[in-house]
Amino acid sequence: MDREGLLSDLKALHHGRGLRRAGVRGWLGPALLEALGATPQHSDAELRVALARLLALHTQALPRDLRELFRTAVGLDVDLPRLEDRMERAAEGLDRSVRVVRRRLREAEALVADAILHQRSSANEWWDAQGWQWLGLDASLVLRDDAVMSLRHEVLALTAQPKYASLMFTIPGILPGDEEPTFEALLGFTILQVERTGPTGWRLGLELPRDLGPGEAVDTVIRIRVPRASALQPYVVLAPLRETPHARVEVDFGDSFPGTSYWVLDGVLPTDLGPVGTMPVPRDAKPAVGRVTCDFTPRVGLAYGIAWDQLEPKPA
């Protein structure tokens, strides 16, 4: 892997929608494929998320302005259809002309290339080799005074798997000191352990009914209850880390929040999700009344779901 080839591959990432383009193997250059340790068996979805991980790591040490510029140009932090649009966004943020920003982008590319060349990581760092695949993801959230989420997964064992597994996820908005959520396994799993991994993160230690052989699948349902719905950030999303052919998100608003609007999040980067009050309400937002269901064909590393602007309870 030579530096000029790597620079050429990095420049090519900026075309069109950047990392969000379809057909990853068709536009990802040979030097970056080598840096990832990619094989013909890796899918486009796996390549996309592995590339995002590699670039996120190797831009960490860049000066802040160059880091933000590069991430904007490749579409890591901004979802705009053309490079020209992303360059204008970067120019506004840096208070520079587009011409200057383009020149600085070449500098950022050189620094990223050098970081990749001189900080070679194990190829295994970019790939998830645990041998599971989700055949479907289904999240159903009921919002009242409390919030009750049901997570349904059909889990396929790609290789022989022991009956013990773990599930990691976040509940944005729940902070230390808030009343703890409760977890209940309704189908397929027994919960052995609940561990809080961070301010908003949890890991569940799970036991399947038996060891699974290659090709075996099991349906699972886990229910999570948050005592105060108002403690949640105003969205529910699925952001699969493994390839899955289908995802569904449902939110039941009931008739308790007449001042609330909702909209669909279809293939956004998780970094685009902001805290309450920071996400703009789109013009096509609809009244959040009753049950809203959305189906998606997700890509690994992107987020899919439903957002709302506020939870204003009906006056007593």
Side-chain angles (χ1 to χ4, degrees):
M1 179 172 53
D2 65 277
R3 188 173 187 271
E4 291 305 313
L6 189 54
L7 279 171
S8 177
D9 286 1
L10 289 171
K11 291 178 182 178
L13 295 180
H14 309 317
H15 297 167
R17 286 189 176 272
L19 300 189
R20 301 169 190 256
R21 285 174 287 167
V24 179
R25 193 172 288 277
W27 51 257
L28 188 56
L32 282 173
L33 287 170
E34 181 183 346
L36 291 170
T39 71
Q41 287 70 44
H42 285 125
S43 68
D44 276 1
E46 290 172 320
L47 288 171
R48 188 191 316 279
V49 73
L51 178 61
R53 289 171 178 166
L54 179 139
L55 296 177
L57 173 68
H58 290 300
T59 55
Q60 286 177 357
L62 268 61
R64 183 186 62 82
D65 58 332
L66 295 182
R67 180 174 65 250
E68 293 179 359
L69 171 57
F70 183 87
R71 291 173 64 92
T72 297
V74 300
L76 264 175
D77 293 341
V78 175
D79 183 13
L80 292 171
R82 301 184 308 153
L83 175 60
E84 290 81 2
D85 300 329
R86 297 195 296 277
M87 287 293 92
E88 290 178 3
R89 175 73 63 85
E92 292 174 4
L94 298 174
D95 194 23
R96 295 290 187 271
S97 69
V98 172
R99 183 176 181 180
V100 169
V101 165
R102 284 185 175 276
R103 188 167 62 247
R104 299 297 302 279
L105 180 57
R106 301 285 85 82
E107 182 181 348
E109 290 164 351
L111 291 173
V112 174
D114 290 340
I116 293 174
L117 286 169
H118 296 118
Q119 301 173 26
R120 296 294 296 275
S121 302
S122 167
N124 292 330
E125 183 172 346
W126 318 119
W127 311 102
D128 183 355
Q130 297 185 38
W132 299 101
Q133 181 179 358
W134 305 121
L135 297 183
L137 300 173
D138 188 329
S140 177
L141 177 65
V142 178
L143 291 172
R144 298 296 185 266
D145 291 336
D146 62 358
V148 178
M149 169 78 79
S150 296
L151 293 174
R152 301 174 182 271
H153 305 82
E154 184 181 4
V155 183
L156 172 69
L158 302 178
T159 59
Q161 294 292 329
K163 64 179 181 178
Y164 298 102
S166 64
L167 178 65
M168 296 185 65
F169 54 90
T170 61
I171 307 179
I174 303 296
L175 300 174
D178 288 343
E179 189 174 349
E180 292 285 317
T182 57
F183 304 88
E184 181 182 5
L186 302 182
L187 179 67
F189 284 130
T190 299
I191 297 177
L192 301 178
Q193 182 182 15
V194 177
E195 177 188 359
R196 191 161 195 166
T197 60
T200 62
W202 276 264
R203 179 190 291 114
L204 301 185
L206 305 167
E207 182 180 9
L208 291 160
R210 65 186 188 285
D211 294 349
L212 296 183
E216 287 192 82
V218 61
D219 290 319
T220 68
V221 181
I222 293 174
R223 184 163 61 196
I224 306 162
R225 178 180 177 271
V226 176
R228 292 185 300 109
S230 59
L232 296 175
Q233 294 288 12
Y235 52 82
V236 55
V237 299
L238 295 171
L241 298 177
R242 298 180 178 89
E243 193 170 3
T244 183
H246 175 260
R248 170 174 291 178
V249 175
E250 178 180 279
V251 179
D252 183 353
F253 293 99
D255 60 357
S256 301
F257 310 105
T260 301
S261 299
Y262 82 90
W263 60 97
V264 177
L265 301 171
D266 189 358
V268 304
L269 285 168
T271 52
D272 292 344
L273 300 173
V276 62
T278 65
M279 288 193 296
V281 179
R283 293 183 178 180
D284 59 352
K286 300 177 181 179
V289 178
R291 185 173 298 168
V292 178
T293 303
C294 297
D295 291 289
F296 305 98
T297 302
R299 297 179 183 176
V300 171
L302 300 180
Y304 303 82
I306 296 170
W308 53 92
D309 56 345
Q310 56 192 343
L311 291 180
E312 292 187 354
K314 183 186 297 184

